[in-house]
Amino acid sequence: MSLFSFLKFRRKKTLERKGPKQRQKKADKKPRHKQVIVSFMVVLIWTSFTFSMLYEPTWKDDLIEKQRIPNSRYAVVNFDYEIGPTLADIHLANKSVPDIYIYDQEVQEKVDAEFKNLMEQARKWKPGTTELPAKNLKEEHLITLQNLFGKDVKLSNFLERLKLGYQAGIVEEYLDKNISFMITVNYKNKRQKIVEFGNLSPPKKFVAKLIREHCAEYSVNYDDSVTALVDYLSQHVLRPNLSHSEELTSNARKKKEAALPNYKIEVLKGDPLVEKGMIASAEDIIRLKAHAEALERNEDPQAIIQQLFSNGSLALLIIISYVMYLTQSKIKELRNNNVIALLGILTSLSILYGWGTMKIYLNVLNGPQMYLYSVLPFAFASIILTILFRPSVGMLVGSAITVLAAIIARDPTHILVLGIMSSFVGAFSVKTVRTRLQILRSALYTPLAIFLVEAIYLYKATAVWQKYLDVLAISFIACAIVAVLIAFFFLPLCEYIFGLTSNISLLDLSDLNHPLLRRLSLEAMGTYQHSMMVATLSEQAAEAIGANTLLTRVCCYFHDIGKLSNPSYFTENSMGQNMHQDLSPKMSALLIINHVKEGLQMANTYKLKKPMKRVIATHHGTSLVYFFYHRSKTNNQLEADGGEAEYRYPGPLPVSPEESIICFADSCEAASRSLEKPTQQKIDTLIDDIFKNIMQDGQLDDSELTLDEIKTVRESIKKSLRSMLHTRIQYPDREDDVEKTRKMKADNIEKTSEVPHSEIDKMLESSSSSSTTSKSTKSTKSTKSTKSSKKNSSKSSSSKSSSSDSSAS
């Protein structure tokens, strides 16, 4: 924060010792609004610079394929662009490239060997045997093979025809036999041959032709047995030796397609590039890109500087307007330069975050542009600032970011409505975060606000119902999951870097198992109870005037931790012992005053937040330790002890409403302990005197409380103390009641003895022995308890009398 060191508002030590005469008058202080303006000038220059860095030349376009074109666009300059071949050209090119088949020489050799093996087994087979030489082979097949190829001459002639047919090529059976086109045959020696597909035969057609020629040559009838043999050979012996290669065919056609020439199209200035409402095609994207490149070549540096200057100037004017508003609104947070720096940083980060989100959505995720505004993080800064300060600060910065974003938007009205709505709802949803579960409200309400705005625009565009679901899903993912999570990730960083405290951090400190509070409850029980009572008084008073109740309560827990250094020297922990009877008034006052210094040291050791340290230092202000001051003055030792200043706390004075409330509540709760038989009139008189003395002593000179708020705080403390110091009715002595109970029991026993024996026998028979035993046990216990209660009552009566004596003395 060295950048803002020259803008310090107050150069005052945290624990400077000063009396009423040494305080500066408010009239002598310099007006702070001038320093606020200077500080904001630094921030607005920084923010406008960040805004200008988001400059995008006018030739850039984020239109993507298959996206509905939002606006019609026209050429600004003359240009030409090239497009690839048309679909018709590609189809003709693919048709001109013949399919490629691979010739397999080994298939013919394997078929030849299998056929010879089959004939050898057929010759050995004798009719009537049960075993067949091959699966799916029937007896009629073997008989037909013997008739056709029984002689070696017949077999050798058939195998020669088979070899010649395989050299021509055998293709798959499933290919259409009626198709007639040219194909390319690749051989192993890389030789290629173009043949007509109609001249090739599938296995069944090929073997039928060979056997038909064989039967005609040797005068054998081509009957059903021969047809069955043809089916068997085509299915189990013959295989195609030409296989279609998809890879080689595709590569050849791609090569042919790449060799096709591109078409050059000229576009003149003013010609339409795209039309509104149409679906963007690949050619539209190429045309827009070529137009952008032409503009980029023709754009000079002067145009870029002009665009940067215009964007920066608009950002400056907007932020200056907000500075004028802030200086008049008197928001107390703006008195701190760290807060001003935080506002500028969050504004810049929000702009960069929105710009990065837009780029990822359009260029990486290829999202449709109609949903673009739903993913922009308008509520990012407002959520953080509301948790750290108040909703007005968050809404103010959120609206500023929205206006800045509307400058470069194609639909500024849409941006303004959506941004202000989401930032305002985001701020209100985290206004009173007291538990971490309440954080989920911002993750629910903000996306719903975005959806409502987008639903209106979709209805205006007559969109189908699926679009509404898309917007709802996108807004929840972008805002609830991404923006809110990132905001709560940045929150502890902002607290740590800028020394701020949020309600979420206060929730962690409100745990009564904190080491300091545990020590306080064990080592200084009276101070611990005092702190709890002050916390209750202060919280109710803070709620009455609209101050931060959580901050007030947590600060009360730690305001007297300095008493842990010497707990027995404070009345609430002395257990009736007077530790100051052998000490001089000055030494006693020094021990009492020292608990502020000790408390600050403990706060630094345990790394408490700044508001806790402020309350530890200011909860007595610069008030007098009046008891020892009066004793010193009575003994005429005041001048020798150094005067009144030695009996005053070091300060500083309370400033914030929370600090002032704790100052009042601490004094009122401590003084109320001295009341004997408190009544409403005594309590009211005591509190009025305390408030009067504190104000007359000048302890509220720097306080931000108004007179009306002080009155409200006083009435709230009165009401709370009346409830805490309530009285109860005096309970009567229980000895007479015990005697009456004994007489009633004796009478009952006598009445029972007068009952006829027959009725008593019936009663005994109806009851079990176990119940009788339990009743006797209970009666024994009741007798013992009666005796013990009598003893306790006598003890309590004696303790009451002793306590009354001690109080009187």
Side-chain angles (χ1 to χ4, degrees), residues 13-37:
K13 295 182 179 179
T14 306
L15 292 174
E16 60 178 343
R17 176 169 296 181
K18 61 181 184 179
K21 296 181 180 179
Q22 295 173 323
R23 300 192 199 102
Q24 294 180 347
K25 295 182 180 180
K26 288 189 175 182
D28 297 332
K29 295 182 179 180
K30 296 181 180 180
R32 292 177 176 173
H33 68 275
K34 294 182 179 180
Q35 294 175 327
V36 171
I37 292 177

Side-chain angles (χ1 to χ4, degrees), residues 399-513:
S399 60
I401 294 170
T402 301
V403 174
L404 288 173
I407 295 175
I408 55 175
R410 290 176 182 151
D411 192 353
T413 306
H414 192 171
I415 282 286
L416 284 173
V417 175
L418 183 63
I420 292 177
M421 183 73 176
S422 60
S423 59
F424 279 30
V425 172
F428 274 106
S429 63
V430 295
K431 179 178 64 173
T432 57
V433 173
R434 293 291 298 266
T435 62
R436 296 188 184 273
L437 183 62
Q438 291 176 339
I439 296 173
L440 297 178
R441 292 186 307 184
S442 61
L444 178 65
Y445 294 163
T446 308
L448 286 178
I450 296 174
F451 170 72
L452 290 177
V453 176
E454 291 298 304
I456 294 173
Y457 277 91
L458 288 175
Y459 179 76
K460 182 180 178 181
T462 63
V464 296
W465 65 272
Q466 289 89 348
K467 302 293 183 182
Y468 293 88
L469 297 179
D470 294 341
V471 168
L472 184 62
I474 290 174
S475 60
F476 264 94
I477 293 172
C479 184
I481 299 178
V482 180
V484 175
L485 289 179
I486 293 177
F488 283 99
F489 170 77
F490 271 96
L491 185 61
L493 292 179
C494 295
E495 293 184 52
Y496 177 77
I497 295 173
F498 296 97
L500 302 172
T501 304
S502 67
N503 284 352
I504 298 178
S505 297
L506 293 174
L507 288 174
D508 297 332
L509 292 171
S510 64
D511 185 8
L512 295 180
N513 287 319

